[in-house]
Amino acid sequence: MHAPETEAYVFQSYRLEGEPGAQYPWPTGLVHCQSRQEAMMRLYQVKSGLTDDVGASVFRFFLGEDGAPRTETLEEVGQVAVVQA
């Protein structure tokens, strides 16, 4: 039996949506990455213009010292959307 994972890395990319002149960045879907390195490589691809994405974010999900789930944004590039749920 192995210990549960205490952290996970997620990559989010953004594409432009809407009509010309009124476009905004919109999330294209979350990708669960196997490691921080994989997530940062995906971010680098967007930063380098190797994709059609206009922006990207890397998030880390982890358990805090109190055992409660936490989320932090590790890095963002380009245009990103802040979507309130």
Side-chain angles (χ1 to χ4, degrees), residues 1-82:
M1 181 178 236
H2 65 81
E5 290 186 32
T6 57
E7 65 183 21
Y9 295 92
V10 174
F11 170 81
Q12 173 72 68
S13 60
Y14 304 89
R15 298 255 169 112
L16 287 180
E17 295 285 333
E19 299 297 320
Q23 291 184 314
Y24 50 89
W26 194 252
T28 59
L30 297 172
V31 176
H32 179 268
C33 298
Q34 297 298 315
S35 66
R36 178 182 178 132
Q37 180 181 5
E38 178 189 346
M40 297 309 278
M41 272 304 263
R42 288 176 177 270
L43 184 94
Y44 175 78
Q45 290 175 342
V46 174
K47 190 175 186 178
S48 299
L50 300 174
T51 71
D52 292 334
D53 301 315
V54 297
S57 303
V58 172
F59 304 103
R60 180 173 77 113
F61 295 85
F62 62 101
L63 293 178
E65 291 180 13
D66 60 356
R70 303 269 189 257
T71 305
E72 72 175 332
T73 303
L74 294 181
E75 193 169 338
E76 292 182 320
V77 298
Q79 300 178 48
V80 298
V82 177

